[in-house]
Structures are given as structure tokens and as C-alpha cells.
């Protein structure tokens, strides 16, 4: 009976509660009036208590635990929305895609991407331009040097061509490396004549792949002048590289574009991709910032291993270094070390052998070598110009009349410094510079007026062999005759044999130039040389003592700087008018690009 009475009293007590609760009345009032009350009530609420908010919508009964269930995020926001805030859809999420927490202030920074930006919602004190400014397009951002170090001081610190930051300092794991190589190889009927430059890049490529990086390779080939030339595509180079490293090397249809972007994104660690000839784009040789920025977007770091192109201030050698941390590859490091040792501490006597077709691009290096060497041997078209300067006639042979005075000055400088200059005493002359033509050997004192000198004669070869007997250091750049025609390549092949003999005897032998190295490979003695330089014009400019732009933009070893401040300067050909679109006059450029003249980078450019 007591239990029934208690139950009856509880039933009577429960029925009285709804009559005391005035909760139904505020539901008929406007939403704006009670909206201000919840802001003051939570302050007076007791800690730990969870009273049900005033019902704006139907609220389910309490659960077994006595705690009311959570309301939808929209309903909770509706009760605390300020009166001056426009009502929005109840399903608002934060910038992370999750529902906004209860009571979180809807400030401008947390506005979700799908919510309209309303001018009236700007809070007092906020910058009025923050809501109006358009979202910038994502783009690669340069990594400048720290502000406490001025660009001039940095430039002076890295002006030396040696001691650069190499890939030995690079943590390659998971990195996408943008690698510049020099695959400017000679071609004949679409086939590679000499793959020396491709072979020289293999150690760097293997080191990057073994280190866990994915590699995007870029190179140029020939002189397409900003146009697509099917005969200068890089597919033959990709096929040859595939054979050398036994890893598939796919190529892209263009250096830039949607297809290239997709191919780069799909690269995985241990894979590589070869971009199409970068000189198919005019922006490459102009060092166009937009072109360089697009190239830089394909990598996390930039590695320059193209010593043969380091003397060109182009987008793929200099421009990308403004956007990515820069390093030099193993080949570049080896080239710099070998040529630096040659100039700074050669074993003496020191002989330089200079051949090739033109003297115009070699005047400065000859003047520099005169101050370093004990013996200067000249051949090819270079020797013809010096023969004319010494008062002899060369008939219809190739020589440069405008450079005769420069040749006389170099001969006078050599005489003043006690340097012996060895010129040809006889030569092979031909009626035409073609295969199968008639040729004979004559003295250089009596060259026929209507014949061409195409190679050195046996007496000149003997004189060179005898002069090199005491020599301990040899620098050889350029062939001694028209090497492309086998009948006129005798002197070049004989000199290759002499160089191999000297190398076997312990002499330092450094050989540069495509045809010179090709002669060594034909005889199977290339591996005997101390160093085979892949740089044609770059080697000569380095020997001159000039700064190579492709090296100057790379920080020194151990440098904390990721990139260097670079001012873009579009090179202008002699006689051409500068366009209106130029880099600003201030500050002055740190890197002065090489003059773009008509001379060849090296002998392989003629063949390509």
C-alpha cells in the first residue's frame, strides 16, 4: 500500500511540472528577441550542469542518463546567431570540412569555401580589403636569401667556379629532381654519332635514382631557334640512355604542356622522364622568367650537370635556379676540378694543342693560355689564320681575315713571354672539301692558290710528336683537320695515339671537343685520358677565366642559402633592337649572359 501511495504521489508530482514551465510562450515570440538572452545565461550557469536550451524546435525527451541528446549543428547556430548576421543554411562546415563547434564565432578567417563572402559580415577593426581581395593563383615562389645578407655580398662569395654545392649534400629520398644535362650530341640520319655526353651524365643519373629520387631530365639539341624541328627531337638520346642505364626513359611530346604535367605527376621514386628539346621554346634562350617558372614547377630541387651549356644564361641553366634549391651534378664537379687543377697547378712543361675551324671564338682563351703554357701547337682552320698572320699564303683554305691582327698580337705576346708556337710546316691540300676528291701533300710555304688545306702533313705530325716528348701536361681542344672526312683525319688520329702514349707514361692529358674525343673513341684509347671534357665553348670560357652563369647561380658548398637573387636579363643579338619588355634597370644584374653570336658551342653543333 505504501508503494502504491508513493507511486501515486510521483504521478501527481510529474503531472504538475508541465503547468509550471512557461516554455511554450517564448515560441510565439520573434526569433530576434530571445536571441540575445543565451549570450548572458551561460555565464550564470553552474559548472557541470547541462540545462536544455530554450526549445525553438521540438526536443526529444531526456535519455536514461538525464542528458538531452545533441542538437543538429544548424539548430544550435540558429539560437546564437547575432541579429545583424544574415541567416544561412544550417549545414555550415568549417574550413576543414567538419561541423563548426557549438558557440564558435563565425569570423571571416573560418568562413568555409562554399559560403558567400558578404560585405556586412566584416568585423570592426578588420581590414576592408581582406574580403575583397581575390584568391591568388598558386605558383612557385622564389626562396630568396636571408634579408641580412645583400645580393652583392652573396654574389662575391660564390663567384669562384669551384667549391659549389653538389648532390653529395642533397637528401634525395622522395625528392623530384629537375636535372639539366647536355645531350647535344652529333646526329647523322637520326643516329647518334658520338654518345660521350650521354655517357658522362650516367653517374649523376644513377646516383639520383639510387638515392630514391624521381628525375625529370631536360636538355637541348642543336639550334632550332624556338621552333619545333623534328630532326632535333631527343628520342634518339632517350633510347641510348635506356640502353646505358637499363631503365626505361620515356620522352614527352613537348617540354611544357598538359601531357607533360600529367607525366611528371605520375613519376614515382626510381623513375625518370626526359622532356623534349627545351630550345623548341623561344623562352629558353631568352631566359624568359615565365618559361623558367614553368620548368621549375616540375621539380623540388634543381641539379645542373650540363657543363657543356654552363656558359649560356638560359632558362634551363640559370632561370630555374631562382625558384628551386640548386646543386651541381657529379659531372659538373669533375669538370670544374679537372680544369681548375689544369690552370692552377699543372705539371710542367705544359702544352696546349688548339684546333678547330674558327679562331674568332678562341682569341681570348689563346691569350689566357699564352700566360700559362710552355708550348702552343695550332692546327685546323685556327692554324690557317696564324699562317696568314706570319706572312704565308693559304690559298682557298678556311681562315678568318678579320682575325689576322689578333693572331699577330698573340704571336707577339708568345714571343715576349718565351712561349714556343708550333705552326704546320706542311699540309694535305685538296681541290674540294668533299669525299673522294683529289688531294696531295705540299709545304706551307708553297700552298697552291686554288687548293684547300684540309689536314696536317707527315712532317708536321712528326714535329708535334717530337715537341711533346718532354711534356708532362697536355690540354687538347679541337681536331687538326677536316675530321668528318676519314681521308683528312690522319693528323687528328695520330695525335690521339700520341696523347694515349703520354697518358700511359704518367702525363696529365685533358681532352675537350666532340671530334677530339671521337678520335680517341675510334682508337679505343679514350679511357686512358686523365679527363675528357664534355664542354666545348664552356671549357674555353672556363680556361679564359670567365665566370660561367650556370655555375655562378649555384651556392657554395655548405651554403645555407636555397636560391640566389637573380635579375633576369634577356640577351640581345648584336645589332638587334631591344624590345620594350625588359628587366628593370635596378638592381644591376648579377649574371651577365654570354653574347649570343653565330659561333658554334663546339664541333658537335655543326654536325647536329
Amino acid at each position: 500500500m505504501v508503494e502504491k501511495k508513493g507511486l501515486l504521489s510521483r504521478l501527481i508530482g510529474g503531472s504538475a511540472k508541465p503547468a509550471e514551465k512557461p516554455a511554450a510562450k517564448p515560441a510565439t515570440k520573434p526569433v530576434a528577441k530571445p536571441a540575445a538572452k543565451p549570450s548572458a545565461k551561460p555565464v550564470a550557469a553552474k559548472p557541470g550542469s547541462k540545462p536544455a536550451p530554450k526549445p525553438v524546435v521540438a526536443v526529444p525527451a531526456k535519455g536514461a542518463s538525464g542528458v538531452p541528446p545533441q542538437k543538429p549543428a544548424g539548430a544550435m547556430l540558429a539560437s546564437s546567431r547575432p541579429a545583424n548576421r544574415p541567416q544561412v543554411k544550417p549545414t555550415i562546415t568549417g574550413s576543414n570540412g567538419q561541423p563548426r563547434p557549438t558557440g564558435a564565432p563565425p569570423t571571416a578567417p573560418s568562413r568555409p569555401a562554399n559560403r558567400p563572402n558578404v560585405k556586412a559580415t566584416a568585423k570592426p577593426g578588420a581590414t576592408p580589403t581582406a574580403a575583397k581581395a581575390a584568391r591568388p593563383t598558386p605558383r612557385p615562389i622564389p626562396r630568396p636569401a636571408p634579408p641580412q645578407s645583400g645580393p652583392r655580398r652573396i654574389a662575391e662569395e660564390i663567384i669562384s667556379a669551384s667549391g659549389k654545392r653538389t648532390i653529395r649534400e642533397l637528401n634525395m629520398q622522395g625528392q623530384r629532381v629537375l636535372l639539366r644535362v647536355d645531350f647535344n650530341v652529333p646526329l647523322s640520319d637520326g643516329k647518334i654519332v658520338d654518345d660521350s655526353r650521354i655517357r658522362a651524365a650516367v653517374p649523376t643519373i644513377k646516383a639520383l635514382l639510387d638515392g630514391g629520387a624521381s628525375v625529370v631530365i631536360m636538355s637541348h639539341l642543336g639550334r632550332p631557334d624556338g621552333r619545333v624541328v623534328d630532326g632535333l627531337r631527343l628520342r634518339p638520346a632517350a633510347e641510348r640512355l635506356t640502353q646505358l642505364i637499363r631503365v626505361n626513359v620515356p620522352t614527352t611530346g613537348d617540354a611544357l604542356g598538359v601531357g607533360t604535367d600529367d607525366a611528371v605527376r605520375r613519376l614515382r621514386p626510381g623513375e625518370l622522364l626526359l622532356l623534349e628539346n627545351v630550345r623548341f621554346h623561344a623562352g629558353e634562350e631568352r631566359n624568359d622568367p615565365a618559361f623558367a617558372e614553368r620548368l621549375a614547377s616540375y621539380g623540388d630541387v634543381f641539379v645542373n650537370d650540363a657543363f657543356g651549356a654552363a656558359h649560356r644564361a638560359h632558362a634551363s641553366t640559370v632561370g630555374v635556379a631562382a625558384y628551386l634549391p640548386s646543386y651541381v651534378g657529379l659531372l659538373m664537379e669533375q669538370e670544374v676540378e679537372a680544369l681548375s687543377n689544369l690552370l692552377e697547378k699543372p705539371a710542367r712543361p705544359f702544352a696546349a694543342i688548339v684546333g678547330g675551324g674558327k679562331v674568332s671564338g678562341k682569341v681570348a682563351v689563346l691569350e689566357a693560355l699564352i700566360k700559362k703554357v710552355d708550348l702552343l701547337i695550332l692546327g685546323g682552320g685556327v692554324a690557317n689564320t696564324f699562317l696568314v698572320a706570319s706572312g704565308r699564303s693559304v690559298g682557298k683554305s678556311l681562315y678568318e681575315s678579320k682575325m689576322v691582327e689578333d693572331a699577330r698580337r698573340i704571336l707577339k705576346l708568345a714571343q715576349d713571354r718565351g712561349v714556343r708556337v708550333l705552326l704546320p710546316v706542311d699540309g694535305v691540300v685538296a681541290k674540294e672539301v668533299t669525299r673522294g676528291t683529289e688531294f696531295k701533300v705540299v709545304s706551307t710555304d708553297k700552298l697552291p692558290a686554288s687548293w684547300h688545306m684540309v689536314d696536317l702533313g707527315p712532317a708536321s705530325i712528326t714535329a708535334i710528336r717530337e715537341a711533346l716528348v718532354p711534356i708532362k701536361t697536355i690540354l687538347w681542344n679541337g681536331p687538326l683537320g677536316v675530321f668528318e672526312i676519314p681521308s683528312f683525319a690522319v693528323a687528328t688520329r695520330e695525335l690521339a695515339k700520341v696523347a694515349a702514349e703520354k697518358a700511359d707514361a704518367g702525363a696529365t692529358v685533358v681532352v675537350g671537343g666532340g671530334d677530339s674525343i671521337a678520335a680517341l673513341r675510334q682508337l679505343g684509347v679514350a679511357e686512358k685520358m686523365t679527363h675528357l671534357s664534355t664542354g666545348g665553348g664552356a671549357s674555353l670560357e672556363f680556361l679564359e677565366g670567365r665566370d660561367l652563369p650556370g655555375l655562378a647561380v649555384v651556392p657554395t658548398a655548405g651554403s645555407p642559402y636555397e636560391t640566389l637573387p637573380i635579375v633576369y636579363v634577356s640577351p640581345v643579338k648584336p645589332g638587334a633592337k631591344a624590345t620594350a619588355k625588359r628587366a628593370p634597370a635596378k638592381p644591376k644584374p648579377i649574371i651577365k649572359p654570354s653574347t649570343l653570336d653565330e659561333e658554334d658551342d663546339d664541333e658537335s653543333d655543326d654536325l647536329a
Side-chain angles (χ1 to χ4, degrees):
M1 191 67 181
V2 177
E3 291 178 4
K4 288 183 180 181
K5 186 177 179 180
L7 177 61
L8 181 61
S9 63
R10 282 197 300 270
L11 289 174
I12 293 171
S15 64
K17 285 186 179 179
E20 296 173 5
K21 207 170 187 180
K25 289 181 180 180
T28 60
K29 293 180 181 181
V31 178
K33 194 170 183 179
K37 292 182 179 179
S39 61
K41 283 187 177 180
V43 179
K46 292 181 180 180
S49 63
K50 296 184 180 179
K54 295 294 181 179
V56 179
V57 294
V59 183
K62 293 182 179 180
S65 61
V67 180
Q70 289 287 340
K71 288 186 176 184
M76 295 173 72
L77 284 173
S79 62
S80 61
R81 177 175 57 82
N84 64 343
R85 181 83 178 249
Q87 190 169 3
V88 294
K89 291 183 180 181
T91 55
I92 298 177
T93 56
S95 59
N96 60 356
Q98 300 297 323
R100 184 178 294 154
T102 306
T107 54
S110 63
R111 178 178 61 83
N114 64 344
R115 183 166 181 173
N117 189 6
V118 184
K119 213 180 270 189
T121 59
K123 278 201 163 188
T127 54
T129 56
K132 298 179 181 179
R135 190 183 297 273
T137 306
R139 54 176 293 188
I141 300 175
R143 299 171 175 84
Q148 66 269 20
S149 303
R152 275 292 159 201
R153 193 177 70 81
I154 298 172
E156 290 169 2
E157 285 179 0
I158 65 158
I159 204 70
S160 172
S162 59
K164 293 299 180 179
R165 188 167 66 183
T166 73
I167 61 173
R168 302 179 196 278
E169 301 178 48
L170 174 63
N171 181 11
M172 310 170 195
Q173 185 65 44
Q175 298 272 22
R176 184 189 296 157
V177 177
L178 185 63
L179 174 64
R180 179 57 158 98
V181 297
D182 184 14
F183 285 174
N184 186 31
V185 294
L187 299 175
S188 177
D189 297 327
K191 302 295 183 182
I192 297 176
V193 177
D194 178 30
D195 64 354
S196 299
R197 290 183 171 180
I198 300 177
R199 289 177 178 272
V202 167
T204 297
I205 295 172
K206 282 188 173 181
L208 293 172
L209 294 178
D210 294 343
S214 57
V215 184
V216 179
I217 304 174
M218 52 183 177
S219 177
H220 77 281
L221 176 60
R223 295 175 180 269
D225 297 325
R227 297 175 293 106
V228 176
V229 179
D230 288 335
L232 295 178
R233 292 191 177 274
L234 287 170
R235 183 173 295 277
E239 293 173 351
R240 186 68 187 113
L241 181 60
T242 299
Q243 297 171 359
L244 292 173
I245 65 175
R246 300 185 182 279
V247 175
N248 183 42
V249 184
T251 57
T252 62
D254 193 359
L256 302 178
V258 177
T260 303
D261 297 345
D262 183 62
V264 171
R265 280 195 300 266
R266 286 188 281 108
L267 275 181
R268 297 291 179 267
E271 297 178 348
L272 68 165
L273 176 71
L274 176 61
L275 303 183
E276 189 51 273
N277 194 338
V278 291
R279 285 193 183 177
F280 285 174
H281 293 261
E284 161 66 4
E285 294 186 74
R286 288 203 309 262
N287 193 10
D288 179 46
F291 181 71
E293 186 178 10
R294 283 294 309 277
L295 287 175
S297 67
Y298 292 151
D300 301 318
V301 295
F302 170 58
V303 175
N304 192 351
D305 207 33
F307 182 74
H311 62 313
R312 301 301 189 196
H314 292 172
S316 64
T317 58
V318 168
V320 294
Y323 301 97
L324 298 174
S326 303
Y327 301 79
V328 298
L330 301 179
L331 172 62
M332 186 85 81
E333 181 185 21
Q334 185 182 10
E335 292 273 13
V336 171
E337 182 180 2
L339 295 178
S340 296
N341 291 337
L342 197 67
L343 293 178
E344 295 169 5
K345 45 184 178 183
R348 295 191 177 276
F350 178 17
I353 306 169
V354 180
K358 296 181 180 180
V359 71
S360 53
K362 299 177 180 177
V363 169
V365 71
L366 288 171
E367 290 178 344
L369 287 174
I370 287 294
K371 301 173 184 179
K372 301 282 185 181
V373 302
D374 306 294
L375 171 66
L376 178 63
I377 299 174
L378 300 175
V382 173
N384 295 340
T385 303
F386 278 83
L387 286 173
V388 173
S390 62
R392 283 175 269 190
S393 173
V394 294
K396 294 176 68 177
S397 305
L398 173 68
Y399 82 99
E400 295 176 87
S401 58
K402 294 181 180 180
M403 306 304 299
V404 171
E405 287 302 320
D406 293 285
R408 288 196 183 103
R409 186 181 72 254
I410 292 172
L411 289 174
K412 179 67 167 56
L413 180 63
Q415 183 179 1
D416 294 343
R417 298 186 67 88
V419 177
R420 180 187 176 190
V421 179
L422 189 60
L423 291 172
V425 294
D426 64 343
V428 177
V429 295
K431 284 191 173 182
E432 301 293 338
V433 188
T434 57
R435 295 175 183 266
T437 188
E438 180 184 356
F439 61 90
K440 59 183 178 181
V441 177
V442 298
S443 170
T444 53
D445 294 326
K446 300 177 181 179
L447 286 174
S450 59
W451 290 59
H452 307 263
M453 190 164 79
V454 291
D455 200 6
L456 302 186
S460 298
I461 295 173
T462 302
I464 291 173
R465 181 180 286 273
E466 293 175 353
L468 291 177
V469 169
I471 298 298
K472 294 183 179 179
T473 303
I474 297 174
L475 169 65
W476 176 22
N477 184 283
L480 303 182
V482 185
F483 181 77
E484 295 82 2
I485 301 176
S487 301
F488 308 145
V490 176
T492 304
R493 289 196 296 267
E494 288 298 318
L495 180 56
K497 294 178 182 178
V498 175
E501 293 170 3
K502 296 297 297 182
D504 283 339
T508 300
V509 183
V510 178
V511 183
D515 290 339
S516 305
I517 297 176
L520 295 170
R521 294 206 180 279
Q522 287 181 5
L523 297 173
V525 296
E527 303 305 322
K528 295 183 179 182
M529 302 300 110
T530 308
H531 179 66
L532 299 177
S533 178
T534 59
S539 298
L540 296 179
E541 289 193 17
F542 189 95
L543 294 172
E544 281 179 44
R546 292 170 61 178
D547 298 318
L548 306 184
L551 276 169
V553 296
V554 180
T556 53
S559 171
Y561 308 134
E562 289 194 343
T563 60
L564 297 173
I566 297 173
V567 177
Y568 291 95
V569 178
S570 300
V572 183
K573 290 186 178 182
K577 293 183 179 179
T579 59
K581 192 175 182 181
R582 292 293 174 205
K586 294 181 181 180
K588 292 183 179 180
I590 296 173
I591 304 302
K592 294 183 178 180
S594 303
T595 304
L596 293 178
D597 49 23
E598 296 301 322
E599 71 179 66
D600 298 324
D601 288 346
D602 52 26
E603 294 83 1
S604 65
D605 281 346
D606 294 329
L607 297 176

